[in-house]
Amino acid sequence: MWSGSLAAILRRLAAAARDLAPIILVIALFQGLVIRQPFPDLAGVVVGLACVVLGLALFIQGLELGLFPLGEAIARSFVKKGSAAALLAFAFCLGFGTTVAEPALVAVGEKAAEVASEAGFIADSENARSAYAFQLRLVVALSVGAAIVLGVLRILKGWPLHHLIIGGYLLVTLMTLFAPAEIIGVAYDSGGVTTSTITVPLVTALGVGLASSIKGRNPMLDGFGLIAFASLSPMIFVLAYGIVL
Amino acid sequence: MEFLKALLDTGFGTLFDVLPIVVVLFLFQAAVLRRSVPNPGRIALGFVLVLLGLALFLVGLEEALFPIGETMAVQLAAGAIEDAAGGAVRWDHYLTVYAFAAAVGFATTVAEPALIAVSLKAEEVSGGAIGARGLRVAVATGVAAGVALGCVRIVTGTPLPWYIMAAYAVVIAQTFRASRTIIPLAYDSGGVTTSTVTVPVLAALGLGLAASVPGRSPLIDGFGLIAFASVFPIISVLGYAMAISAIARLRGPKKDRTKE
């Protein structure tokens, strides 16, 4: 197991270095041509890049060894057990649990609280801001939980994805008309920040695993789409929060 | 020494982020499924590698890329102001900024771990018909276009919903023309583009640009780049699939691999 992993990691290292090449190129190009100033700390940059390459290689290797097989194994055992209720409860917990502690979301919540207090939306105090940020995080986490539930239900029932997503787009459009202008930017951005690097592989493997172990489902048609729900529903929930508040 | 401390801090931070996932998995495994997972040792090793990899990745980014990215975003935006000195804000005074935004959007998306994960899965599930690399380049192209347009929006101060609604209209129109098999994957690729690498750099770029363009407020106009980066990849992936099947049709019906 170890030696096999080691050889694979070496191969991954080469791939990771190739993945990072565009970033290095862009920075070198703009630094040299446009900004024309020497690098502030070249040694630190080189060490940092080496860490990024190594980290990316280890991450991908771990994905193939751990997260993908686990997501699919769990999907298979839920299908064998045959309890839709247990599966949906799991889907909600996975969506809610992974989002509520998501660092990117914490950061956006704090920013949003600043915007809201600047706009006179909430009181200009530390307490009001942190309460607002916390509520927003809860709202987004609830919305992701609901999204994964809906997404799993779609896989079970075989509903076509684009009907639901286009419906969601129309809902976002409609709600934008009624939502206060200050919340719109935050709401639109909240869709992108909910799906973290560890949640995405796990949720993708769950969807593909479900679609390939349920009869009559196609993994390509039905397995993907959970992430799409998880990035659309926070927009709807945050807009609703803005309208209600 | 300081570096090791940063690595340790980030490692614990990552562990803390993963904790809710592990708790949920264990809870359902033990209480509901009561079935043992095959190869528990391998899976545990995989988790360790994922955590270690992510921690190294984040520390390296913090050390190497984020400071440069942020400095460059601010310097470029400020430089454009000097060029435009005195006159009114014109969107075409910021061409370098748009070029930088597009280049950064493309490069950070290609290295995004979540996107790598989804594209590997897509290649596996499609039996190789969808190449992992091609998909990532298509997504990155969408992010590049979206982020550049997002910067134009910040400079001109036009309302965000107009752009996003127009993009939705394009997605809906494409959905009715594109091959059925690509649609779920294309929708998913909107959400995976913006994770570890892209969000911090884009946030810095948006806030820096909004702070340096006269008449824009970072708090109001600085948001929205992430929204652009989440919608435009859907358009580019659908467009990529439509282009491939159009080319295949021209070459002869037998080579059409994106249709079922």
Side-chain angles (χ1 to χ4, degrees), chain A residues 18-19 30 35 37 48 51 55 60 72 81 97-98 115 118 173 188-189 192 195 197-198 220-221 225 227-228 235, chain B residues 3 18 20-21 28 32 53 60 72 75-76 116 121 130 133 136 165 168 180 184 188 191 194-196 219 224 227:
Chain A
R18 221 170 39 215
D19 290 336
F30 276 86
I35 294 179
Q37 272 165 12
C51 287
I60 306 290
E72 279 169 28
K81 194 170 165 64
T98 55
V115 175
E118 192 106 326
T173 308
Y188 284 12
D189 272 5
T195 42
T197 313
I198 294 173
M220 202 60 209
L221 275 179
I227 307 289
M235 295 171 68
Chain B
F3 185 75
V18 178
I21 305 183
F28 275 86
V32 183
M72 283 175 87
Q75 276 178 352
L76 278 173
I116 298 179
K121 206 78 209 162
I130 293 164
R133 198 154 279 271
R136 279 162 62 194
M165 298 310 147
Y168 282 169
R180 226 156 48 92
D188 267 5
T194 46
S195 302
T196 329
L219 287 178

Side-chain angles (χ1 to χ4, degrees), chain A residues 49-63:
Chain A
L49 282 177
C51 287
V52 172
V53 169
L54 184 63
L56 198 55
L58 290 178
F59 175 81
I60 306 290
Q61 184 62 21
L63 216 62

Side-chain angles (χ1 to χ4, degrees), chain A residues 150-199:
Chain A
L150 185 65
V152 167
L153 203 60
R154 175 194 82 89
I155 297 176
L156 296 180
K157 300 274 183 194
W159 295 330
L161 175 69
H162 61 275
H163 291 177
L164 293 167
I165 297 291
I166 291 176
Y169 285 169
L170 295 179
L171 198 58
V172 168
T173 308
L174 199 68
M175 289 173 91
T176 302
L177 295 175
F178 297 103
E182 290 80 8
I183 200 114
I184 290 175
V186 177
Y188 284 12
D189 272 5
S190 69
V193 298
T194 49
T195 42
S196 82
T197 313
I198 294 173
T199 320

